[in-house]
Amino acid sequence: MSSIQTIPMSESDLIVRRIKNGTVIDHIESGKGLKVLNALGIDGRDGNVITIALNVPSSKVAKKDIIKVENKFLQDTDTNKLALIAPKATVNIIQDYKLVEKRRVALPNQIERIFRCSNPDCITNSDEEIQPIMDVVDKTGLVLRCRYCTRTLDVNELKYY
Amino acid sequence: MSNSFFQKDIVSVRDFDKQKFETVFQATDKIIGMNQNERREIVRGKTLGYLFFEPSTRTRLSFEAAMASIGGTSLGIADASSSSAKKGESLADTVKIMSLYSDVLVLRHQLDGSSRFAAEISEKPLINAGSGTEEHPTQAILDLYTIRKEKKKIDGLKVGIVGDLKYGRTVYSLLYALSNYNVDVKLISPPSLKIRADSTYEIRKKLQYTETSDLEENLDDLDVIYVTRIQKERFADIEEYVKVRGSYKIGPELVNKIKDDAIIMHPLPRLDEISPEIDSTKQAKYFKQAQYGKDTRAALLALILNENGI
């Protein structure tokens, strides 16, 4: 009769398993994980394993969300879309269980399809087939402008698309 | 070398700099100076297609008149309720169809950003003839031309803009246009109709302007008095309109207080903000302004449709 082997595991190992290849988005503000998935257009239809952990205890902040996307190496053009949703997120690229790249998200020059224009009379809020695009006109002052109606937008009042 | 307007959209006056305005002004002067036979050769055989989803008198007629004056023809929809838009056809489809039948499109639509969207769809160059409360670039071009023509300069002038500054698309286009010049602007409106902060981000650093609600106290040193209508149709709450309608009326008494060589402009239509009694004064230039509208639009069409300009 064989004895039961005990393998020591950390708390986070228990919650979300390590991935061999793919992208780990860490330090997402608690409660924003699902919005991050939506913003990145990740829906699991490609068959890759996606692990989402919400409200994970963290030493740096009280709680955080984590997303692991297996077999997909997200580019900065993808993850920079998160700069307004999860500005403190870190993006870790994993290859053969090893961390090969770690980066912070940064504001891109334009943000597509994530937020609605807050001007109700903007063409992007009509029935026309058109997706909202916001140009980042000032990265330091965080000024966004709708590509279509050209109004500047209050980033604190943006609604998700 | 082709001219910089050839086959280009005119969506926003923000795409213009001083040089571009000057190109249109010079083309306008040239067209005015031509005889009828010369003029009618400029765009012979070309067709302008117009789509007006909001009512218009001057803009649509002046585009048609402008096109005819330089030898082209026009076709289009003057009232969206008589088109397939009424059946629910999208703006995108309507624009696409019109772009198949014409060489240049002119669009007026009630939504902000509609022209930028339509220009992406259209296979032909598109001119914005009013997009919601956003912009009316050809009005700004004719406004600047009027000032340049009547005052012989634009730089160094004091310009007062009066009335509905919140919803007036001509106001925003004029402000964007003036931000290319060294002018001093006074914005005169009821407090509830001040200019929108979310539409003036770029001009705040480029244009010197002050805001006030007092018309009489601010008239005497102005070189240009640009009056706008308080637009009932833009108010979501009619009570708010009632509170501000008739806020400013320019009649003979006020005209006596302005500079002798000042000019009074208005994009028209007017209600009671300018009394017909002052139409015959030397300062009243709004009908001349409407005339220049036809000439500047003819110049713009000529530049868009002719690779070598005029």
Side-chain angles (χ1 to χ4, degrees):
Chain A
M1 200 175 114
S2 61
S3 61
I4 298 169
Q5 251 189 324
T6 308
I7 302 166
M9 294 178 83
S10 71
E11 191 175 11
S12 58
D13 279 337
L14 286 167
I15 297 168
V16 275
R17 66 174 185 154
R18 292 173 67 201
I19 62 172
K20 185 177 180 189
N21 292 303
T23 307
V24 177
I25 306 171
D26 199 357
H27 300 109
I28 302 166
E29 191 187 328
S30 176
K32 299 279 180 70
L34 295 176
K35 284 173 181 163
V36 165
L37 274 185
N38 186 40
L40 293 174
I42 296 172
D43 55 13
R45 285 184 201 176
D46 57 7
N48 289 320
V49 175
I50 296 155
T51 314
I52 308 159
L54 306 179
N55 300 321
V56 179
S58 162
S59 56
K60 287 185 187 167
V61 288
K63 286 175 180 174
K64 65 179 180 179
D65 295 349
I66 304 171
I67 294 169
K68 298 192 176 191
V69 186
E70 294 192 31
N71 300 319
K72 203 164 188 177
F73 303 105
L74 294 173
Q75 304 297 310
D76 51 7
T77 47
D78 299 314
T79 51
N80 284 349
K81 292 175 183 172
L82 310 179
L84 285 179
I85 305 171
K88 290 179 181 157
T90 52
V91 178
N92 304 288
I93 303 297
I94 311 291
Q95 282 180 359
D96 202 18
Y97 295 110
K98 289 192 186 105
L99 176 68
V100 295
E101 187 187 344
K102 189 182 183 94
R103 59 176 190 257
R104 303 290 300 263
V105 296
L107 260 184
N109 293 328
Q110 64 179 53
I111 298 172
E112 289 179 50
R113 208 183 55 89
I114 299 176
F115 301 105
R116 281 190 180 286
C117 176
S118 36
N119 171 9
D121 294 324
C122 177
I123 187 83
T124 60
N125 288 318
S126 72
D127 293 334
E128 296 292 328
E129 280 290 318
I130 179 173
Q131 294 186 339
I133 303 174
M134 273 112 207
D135 291 311
V136 181
V137 290
D138 179 355
K139 288 188 180 178
T140 316
L142 209 57
V143 180
L144 267 61
R145 187 174 59 201
C146 172
R147 170 81 55 92
Y148 290 93
C149 75
T150 70
R151 294 213 195 173
T152 48
L153 307 164
D154 184 341
V155 293
N156 298 312
E157 290 184 6
L158 288 175
K159 302 258 187 320
Y160 290 97
Y161 178 57
Chain B
M1 197 177 82
S2 71
N3 86 81
S4 64
F5 288 90
F6 180 58
Q7 293 296 312
K8 293 282 173 19
D9 304 309
I10 307 292
V11 169
S12 168
V13 83
R14 283 189 268 199
D15 299 330
F16 280 63
D17 55 19
K18 236 172 170 171
Q19 182 55 49
K20 280 192 154 185
F21 283 120
E22 200 51 43
T23 301
V24 181
F25 299 158
Q26 284 175 16
T28 307
D29 289 339
K30 198 168 175 186
I31 285 177
I32 291 172
M34 285 177 174
N35 68 44
Q36 205 175 57
N37 290 338
E38 274 181 302
R39 224 181 290 155
R40 287 195 173 154
E41 292 303 316
I42 298 175
V43 296
R44 177 179 288 282
K46 305 277 187 191
T47 303
L48 176 153
Y50 57 82
L51 296 168
F52 277 71
F53 289 82
E54 277 189 328
S56 166
T57 303
R58 267 152 304 280
T59 306
R60 184 173 60 79
L61 292 180
S62 73
F63 266 111
E64 276 197 75
M67 194 64 179
S69 73
I70 53 175
T73 55
S74 302
L75 58 88
I77 297 162
D79 172 10
S81 64
S82 67
S83 75
S84 288
K86 182 80 175 168
K87 300 175 192 164
E89 185 176 50
S90 67
L91 172 64
D93 281 1
T94 310
V95 166
K96 193 147 189 89
I97 295 301
M98 184 55 94
S99 75
L100 300 174
Y101 300 153
S102 46
D103 299 293
V104 58
L105 265 72
V106 173
L107 173 70
R108 170 169 289 188
H109 196 275
Q110 65 277 12
L111 290 177
D112 301 344
S114 48
S115 275
R116 196 162 281 99
F117 170 61
E120 290 175 355
I121 305 286
S122 176
E123 294 178 14
K124 303 287 168 50
L126 182 140
I127 302 174
N128 178 3
S131 49
T133 59
E134 181 205 0
E135 271 223 51
H136 193 348
T138 61
Q139 179 71 44
I141 293 167
L142 78 91
D143 291 341
L144 284 197
Y145 183 80
T146 306
I147 295 171
R148 177 183 174 271
K149 199 84 176 165
E150 298 300 321
K151 295 296 299 177
K152 311 292 179 217
K153 62 176 186 177
I154 299 172
D155 284 313
L157 295 178
K158 285 190 163 71
V159 181
I161 306 179
V162 184
D164 177 359
L165 310 187
K166 183 178 180 182
Y167 300 115
R169 56 189 169 211
T170 65
V171 171
Y172 293 93
S173 287
L174 181 57
L175 287 172
Y176 301 142
L178 286 173
S179 71
N180 290 284
Y181 296 85
N182 178 25
V183 290
D184 194 353
V185 176
K186 276 184 190 171
L187 300 172
I188 304 164
S189 72
S192 63
L193 294 178
K194 285 166 74 169
I195 50 166
R196 302 184 301 260
D198 58 4
S199 294
T200 49
Y201 173 74
E202 299 111 312
I203 57 170
R204 268 175 245 156
K205 287 176 198 155
K206 287 171 70 187
L207 186 70
Q208 190 166 337
Y209 64 87
T210 53
E211 295 180 76
T212 177
S213 58
D214 194 326
L215 176 64
E216 273 193 68
E217 290 299 309
N218 286 285
L219 278 177
D220 57 349
D221 64 340
L222 295 176
D223 301 299
V224 178
I225 301 158
Y226 190 95
V227 187
T228 64
R229 174 175 65 98
I230 294 180
Q231 304 171 89
K232 187 179 178 183
E233 67 274 21
R234 303 280 179 214
F235 285 77
D237 181 355
I238 197 72
E239 288 299 314
E240 291 302 310
Y241 169 70
V242 171
K243 281 182 199 166
V244 292
R245 76 175 169 200
S247 294
Y248 304 113
K249 289 181 181 170
I250 298 194
E253 267 183 39
L254 281 187
V255 171
N256 285 335
K257 293 184 177 176
I258 68 176
K259 281 165 82 171
D260 199 44
D261 63 347
I263 59 170
I264 301 170
M265 297 169 63
H266 194 304
L268 303 175
R270 67 172 157 181
L271 294 179
D272 58 358
E273 60 275 6
I274 292 182
S275 163
E277 286 175 83
I278 69 161
D279 290 356
S280 56
T281 63
K282 63 180 176 184
Q283 289 101 334
K285 300 292 180 194
Y286 27 92
F287 292 117
K288 220 163 182 186
Q289 187 184 351
Q291 165 64 39
Y292 293 142
K294 186 194 109 179
D295 301 326
T296 50
R297 285 172 178 133
L300 213 45
L301 289 165
L303 291 167
I304 290 170
L305 293 170
N306 286 316
E307 187 165 5
N308 298 319
I310 55 165

